[in-house]
Amino acid sequence: MKKIDLHIHTVPTVSDSAFTFSMDTFKRYVTEARLDAVAVTNHDVFDAKQFRQIQNELQTTVFPGIEINVDKGHVLVITELADLDDFEKKAARVSAKIRKQGDSISVELLQEIYGDLSKYLVIPHYDKMPSISADTLAMLSPYVCAGEVDSPKKFVRNMKDGTKLVPILFSDARMKVDLPNIPLRQTFIDCGDVSLSAIKACLRDKKVALSEKDGNELIQVFENGQQISTGLNVLVGPRSSGKTHTLDAISASMDGVKYIRQFSLVQQDEAGYEKDFRGRVERKRGFFVDEYLAGLKRVLEEVVNVDLAANDREVTEYMASLLKAAVESDRRDIFSKAALFAETNFPIGTNKALEDLYASVRHIIENVQYRDVIEKHVEPIALKELAIELIELMRARTAEYQRKRQVNSLVKDIRERLQVLTGAVQVKDVDLYEVALDVKRMQRFVEIVGFLMKQAVVHEESIQGFRIEARREPYTGAQSLRNANGGKGSFTEAFGKYHDPYEYLCALRDNDSVNHADLYKLFARINYRVLNRDGFEVSGGERSEFRLLQEISDAQNFDILLVDEPESSFDNLFLKSDVNHILKAISEAMPVVVVTHNNTVGASVKADYVLYTKKELENGAPVYRIYSGYPTDMKLCSIDGKEIPTHEVLMNSLEAGSDAYDGRRERYEAVKS
C-alpha cells in the first residue's frame, strides 16, 4: 500500500488567503506522514521553478499539478514528471484567464488548453465544497476516475455506493511557516509503484483505503499514528486518565465535529432551562412557521397599504364634487367644457401575474429531476415558445403601462391648468373599482385572520418516542407581541385593537419598531409542546432526554460525533432503549466516539473499537497513554508498543472489576430463582 496526498498548496493566489511557503514544513509533513507521493496543486498557477526546488528537496515522488477554477467547481489536473515544460506553458494560459477571485474557465477552454485530458489524472471536487456541478462532471466524465471528498465519513459513504465516483481524501493543506498540526487526510492505494498510470489504474479498480492494514475500518486522528474506527468507538478509563482530553484532541484535529460535552444537556436553572429548551425547539422548526403563515404573508402584501378611511374620504369628496358640479352646471365656460377638464386617468396595472406565470414555466423548463415526466406530457419546444411569448407580452404590457403613465401625467397637468382658468367645479378623480376591490380584500383578510386566531393543533411530529405538537394560538398580551418582535417596541396600544384585524393592522403599520416584512408573524403564533409517550408535556428530566436525542440526531449533518459520558445524566433504560440504538445507527454512516463508565453503554452498544486511557508513572513522571484495539482482541496496544489485557480493561472500566461483576451476577441469579 502506498500513501499519497495529491492536493497540496505552496503558492498563495487570488483564490487563497495569504501564507508564507515553508520548505521545512513540507519536508516535516512528508517525513512524519510517511508519504510515498505528493502533488503540488496551486490554484490556477504552476510555478515550475519552485516545483523543481521542491522536487530536489523532498525524499518522495512529487507530481506537478494545478487546481483549476472550472465553471461550477474545482478540478485537479496532475501530470507525469516528463511533461513538466509543456505543463508549465499550459498552466500559464490558465493563469492568464483567471486573474481575480470568482474568475473561471469553461470545460471547453480547459479541453482546448490541455488537449487530450486522458493523458492527465483529473480529479474534481466531488463531495467537497465547492463541489463540481452535475453538468460539468458529465462533460468531464470520460477523463475522471475519482472524486475528492473532504472527510472519512464521505469517503466511506461513497465507497459503499456503487453509483458514486471512487472517493479520494487529500489534505488540501498549505505548506506554510508554523503549520500548527500535520494534516491527517491522505489516501492509501494498493499499487507497487507510484507512477501516474499506476495511480489511475488503482483508482479505476477502486483499490483505495483510509488505512494501510485495516482498509476503511480505521482512520488516523493524531500525528503519533493513533487510530479510531470509522464506526462506533467506546473510550473508557479511570477517572483523570485523559478521556475528555482525548475527545478535545480529536475535536481539535478534525473538521466537521459534533461534540456533546458532559452535563451540557442537564437541567440546572428551571426557568432558564425551560426557556432555552423551548427556544431551541422553535428555532429548529422555524421553517414550519414561515411555511404555515406563507398564505397570510401573501395576503398582507396585498392589503398592507390599503387605507379604507382614505378611500372613504376620496369617495365622499368625489360624490360632493359630482353633486356640486351638477348644481353649478350653468357656470361652465370654455375651459370647463374642454374634453380633458373631466378626463379620468388610465388605470395602471402590474405584470405580477405574468411574471409569476413566466417563473413557473421557466421552473418547468429548467427542472432536471423530473424532466422525463415533464417531457412525457409537454413538448420542450412548446414550453420554450410559451416562455418567449410571455416575455414578449410582458415587454408589451410594460411599454403600455409606461405610455399610460406619461398620458396620465400630461392629463393631470392640463386639468390643473384648466382648473386655474375656470370657476366651474371639477369632479374629483377616484377609481371606484379599486375602492371596491380594497373593501373585498380587507373582508377576506379579516376572515383569514379570524380563522388563524382560533386555537388548533396544526402539526404533529414523532421523534424517538416523543411527540412535538405545533399549536396555533392568539397572542395573549402586549408583552407576547413584543417578544415576537425581537423584544423591540411597545404594543400596548396595538394589542387593544388585536381582535379588530383591520384596526390592528393600522396600529402595527404605524409602529416604527415593526418591520413590514415580518407583520405576518404578529397576528397568530405557533406554540410548540413536546409530549412524552403518554401524551403529557415532558418533565425536566424528559426534556434532557429529548435534547440528547435531538443533538445526537443532528450529528448526521456533521462528519464525526463525540459524546462525553451520556450516563452522567440519564438512566440505564433510556440509554439502552434509545441512546444505544441511535448511536449504533449513526455509526453506520460516520465515526462516533463515546466516553463511558457504564456497562449499559460500553458493553450493550456493541462497539466496533475500544480505546482505553491510562495514567502511568515512568521515571517518576506521569504519562498519559492510549491503548486501543478491536473488542475481540485479547490485548489492547498503545502506539509505543505496550499492551494490556482487553478483558481486564473492560471489567475494571465497565463492571467495577471481576469480583464486583461476579457478585452482582450471583445476586441477580438468586433473585431471579
Side-chain angles (χ1 to χ4, degrees):
M1 298 287 280
K2 303 296 183 181
K3 192 177 185 182
I4 62 173
D5 181 3
L6 305 184
H7 192 170
I8 296 174
H9 293 268
T10 59
V11 176
T13 69
V14 293
S15 298
D16 254 321
S17 55
F19 68 90
T20 302
F21 171 67
S22 168
M23 187 70 77
D24 290 339
T25 297
F26 208 163
K27 287 181 182 178
R28 181 167 67 94
Y29 174 43
V30 169
T31 301
E32 294 185 11
R34 299 178 181 177
L35 293 171
D36 296 293
V38 296
V40 176
T41 52
N42 293 302
H43 279 292
D44 310 303
V45 167
F46 179 68
D47 186 334
K49 180 180 178 181
Q50 185 200 57
F51 177 82
R52 290 185 175 90
Q53 291 174 343
I54 292 171
Q55 192 180 19
N56 291 333
E57 293 279 349
L58 297 186
Q59 300 301 310
T60 193
T61 301
V62 186
F63 290 106
I66 186 171
E67 181 177 9
I68 302 175
N69 288 328
V70 179
D71 287 346
K72 302 177 182 177
H74 286 191
V75 176
L76 300 178
V77 177
I78 301 167
T79 191
E80 294 278 12
L81 292 170
D83 293 334
L84 194 59
D85 293 335
D86 180 57
F87 191 75
E88 181 182 11
K89 294 175 184 176
K90 292 174 178 177
R93 292 184 63 188
V94 173
S95 301
K97 293 290 183 181
I98 302 177
R99 295 182 173 278
K100 63 181 186 300
Q101 196 164 20
D103 284 352
S104 63
I105 64 173
S106 65
V107 174
E108 291 82 3
L109 182 55
L110 177 72
Q111 292 173 314
E112 178 189 324
I113 292 173
Y114 286 91
D116 183 8
L117 286 173
S118 61
K119 292 169 46 182
Y120 304 92
L121 177 58
V122 179
I123 302 175
H125 278 204
Y126 187 54
D127 216 345
K128 173 182 180 178
M129 295 301 293
S131 58
I132 197 164
S133 71
D135 292 342
T136 304
L137 181 60
M139 296 172 71
L140 290 172
S141 60
Y143 318 107
V144 171
C145 53
E148 188 177 2
V149 301
D150 59 10
S151 72
K153 169 189 173 180
K154 294 173 181 176
F155 186 100
V156 173
R157 181 177 65 196
N158 287 330
M159 282 291 285
K160 292 178 179 178
D161 189 340
T163 67
K164 300 286 189 180
L165 282 178
V166 176
I168 197 158
L169 185 67
F170 296 142
S171 70
D172 197 1
R174 278 68 181 157
M175 294 296 106
K176 58 187 179 181
V177 175
D178 299 325
L179 184 71
N181 298 301
I182 290 299
L184 302 177
R185 297 191 305 197
Q186 302 91 21
T187 300
F188 287 89
I189 58 173
D190 188 9
C191 64
D193 59 33
V194 286
S195 66
L196 204 66
S197 58
I199 293 172
K200 289 169 74 172
C202 285
L203 296 178
R204 279 193 295 267
D205 296 338
K206 218 170 183 177
K207 293 181 178 180
V208 296
L210 292 172
S211 64
E212 184 174 12
K213 297 178 181 178
D214 295 88
N216 297 322
E217 300 298 319
L218 301 180
I219 55 171
Q220 184 178 339
V221 289
F222 299 143
E223 291 181 21
N224 65 2
Q226 179 64 53
Q227 295 179 310
I228 64 171
S229 170
T230 54
L232 181 55
N233 303 267
V234 166
L235 174 56
V236 297
R239 297 289 180 188
S240 303
S241 63
K243 297 186 298 300
T244 298
H245 171 76
T246 300
L247 285 191
D248 291 342
I250 293 174
S251 178
S253 70
M254 301 187 74
D255 298 323
V257 177
K258 173 73 175 184
Y259 191 172
I260 303 176
R261 299 178 185 275
Q262 187 180 16
F263 304 120
S264 63
L265 305 178
V266 180
Q267 176 175 340
Q268 297 174 1
D269 170 55
E270 173 71 28
Y273 184 86
E274 182 170 358
K275 181 179 178 182
D276 178 62
F277 174 76
R278 289 187 177 278
R280 286 171 179 265
V281 172
E282 290 174 5
R283 283 194 298 275
K284 280 184 173 290
R285 286 155 186 85
F287 72 92
F288 173 77
V289 175
D290 290 337
E291 184 177 337
Y292 183 77
L293 297 177
L296 175 62
K297 186 177 182 180
R298 287 193 295 271
V299 171
L300 270 168
E301 289 171 356
E302 293 287 331
V303 303
V304 68
N305 293 317
V306 170
D307 190 336
L308 295 182
N311 285 355
D312 286 343
R313 287 194 300 272
E314 286 187 10
V315 172
T316 300
E317 290 173 0
Y318 164 74
M319 292 300 297
S321 65
L322 185 63
L323 290 171
K324 189 173 182 181
V327 171
E328 300 180 0
S329 59
D330 57 332
R331 297 179 58 183
R332 296 186 65 188
D333 53 24
I334 189 173
F335 301 109
S336 60
K337 289 178 181 179
L340 292 182
F341 182 77
E343 187 59 76
T344 58
N345 286 341
F346 282 121
I348 306 296
T350 69
N351 276 332
K352 188 176 186 309
L354 270 175
E355 289 168 356
D356 291 344
L357 181 57
Y358 169 73
S360 300
V361 173
R362 180 174 176 177
H363 180 67
I364 294 173
I365 292 172
E366 295 178 349
N367 186 279
V368 176
Q369 186 175 3
Y370 300 106
R371 182 169 291 171
D372 293 342
V373 177
I374 293 168
E375 292 183 357
K376 187 167 65 176
H377 297 278
V378 186
E379 288 290 335
I381 188 65
L383 285 171
K384 291 176 182 177
E385 288 173 351
L386 174 57
I388 291 170
E389 188 168 344
L390 290 174
I391 291 171
E392 291 172 348
L393 190 54
M394 281 191 288
R395 287 175 177 169
R397 288 277 181 89
T398 301
E400 179 188 348
Y401 294 152
Q402 184 61 35
R403 288 194 296 270
K404 286 183 176 181
R405 289 190 186 94
Q406 291 174 348
V407 171
N408 285 346
S409 178
L410 288 171
V411 170
K412 180 175 180 289
D413 185 52
I414 293 170
R415 287 179 61 188
E416 289 176 352
R417 290 173 181 269
L418 289 172
Q419 180 64 46
V420 172
L421 299 172
T422 183
V425 175
Q426 189 176 56
V427 177
K428 295 290 185 181
D429 190 19
V430 63
D431 189 339
L432 294 174
Y433 179 71
E434 192 63 28
V435 169
L437 278 181
D438 282 348
V439 172
K440 286 295 183 182
R441 291 186 184 109
M442 195 55 67
Q443 287 174 350
R444 185 60 178 152
F445 168 71
V446 170
E447 290 174 8
I448 292 171
V449 172
F451 171 79
L452 290 174
M453 286 182 175
K454 295 176 181 177
Q455 290 190 13
V457 176
V458 295
H459 180 69
E460 289 184 322
E461 176 185 358
S462 295
I463 298 179
Q464 288 107 26
F466 294 90
R467 192 169 84 252
I468 299 178
E469 182 184 83
R471 296 180 64 86
R472 184 185 68 222
E473 297 177 347
Y475 284 99
T476 55
Q479 185 58 46
S480 62
L481 285 172
R482 191 172 191 272
N483 293 340
N485 195 48
K488 298 178 293 184
S490 172
F491 290 87
T492 304
E493 180 182 349
F495 186 72
K497 303 173 182 177
Y498 183 64
H499 293 287
D500 183 335
Y502 172 66
E503 293 296 331
Y504 177 60
L505 173 60
C506 293
L508 292 179
R509 197 168 53 196
D510 295 337
N511 191 324
D512 293 335
S513 69
V514 178
N515 185 338
H516 283 195
D518 295 329
L519 279 173
Y520 70 102
K521 298 177 182 178
L522 300 176
F523 286 85
R525 63 178 178 174
I526 305 297
N527 188 32
Y528 291 95
R529 295 196 309 161
V530 179
L531 309 177
N532 59 24
R533 289 174 175 81
D534 300 319
F536 297 106
E537 200 154 358
V538 293
S539 63
E542 288 171 328
R543 282 199 293 266
S544 296
E545 292 178 1
F546 176 78
R547 279 189 61 184
L548 175 63
L549 294 176
Q550 286 279 277
E551 291 291 327
I552 294 175
S553 296
D554 186 49
Q556 296 178 38
N557 300 316
F558 293 79
D559 293 323
I560 181 171
L561 170 64
L562 310 178
V563 186
D564 194 357
E565 295 195 41
E567 71 270 14
S568 301
S569 314
F570 306 102
D571 61 59
N572 285 340
L573 283 176
F574 171 67
L575 292 171
K576 185 176 186 300
S577 62
D578 294 277
V579 175
N580 281 5
H581 175 75
I582 194 171
L583 285 175
K584 193 65 178 176
I586 289 178
S587 71
E588 295 295 324
M590 63 190 295
V592 177
V593 184
V594 183
V595 169
T596 184
H597 291 281
N598 185 291
N599 57 19
T600 299
V601 176
S604 300
V605 77
K606 298 180 181 178
D608 300 303
Y609 206 65
V610 176
L611 298 110
Y612 174 68
T613 57
K614 187 178 180 182
K615 182 171 73 172
E616 300 173 343
L617 287 176
E618 292 187 358
N619 300 321
V623 175
Y624 293 91
R625 186 171 276 113
I626 300 175
Y627 296 84
S628 59
Y630 294 100
T632 52
D633 292 342
M634 296 299 293
K635 294 182 179 180
L636 303 180
C637 301
S638 66
I639 294 299
D640 56 0
K642 294 186 178 295
E643 298 179 341
I644 191 169
T646 306
H647 180 268
E648 176 186 322
V649 165
L650 296 179
M651 278 294 170
N652 290 340
S653 301
L654 302 178
E655 307 290 350
S658 297
D659 293 341
Y661 173 74
D662 291 337
R664 287 199 307 276
R665 185 175 60 181
E666 291 174 3
R667 286 195 294 274
Y668 289 144
E669 289 174 352
V671 172
K672 181 178 179 181
S673 301

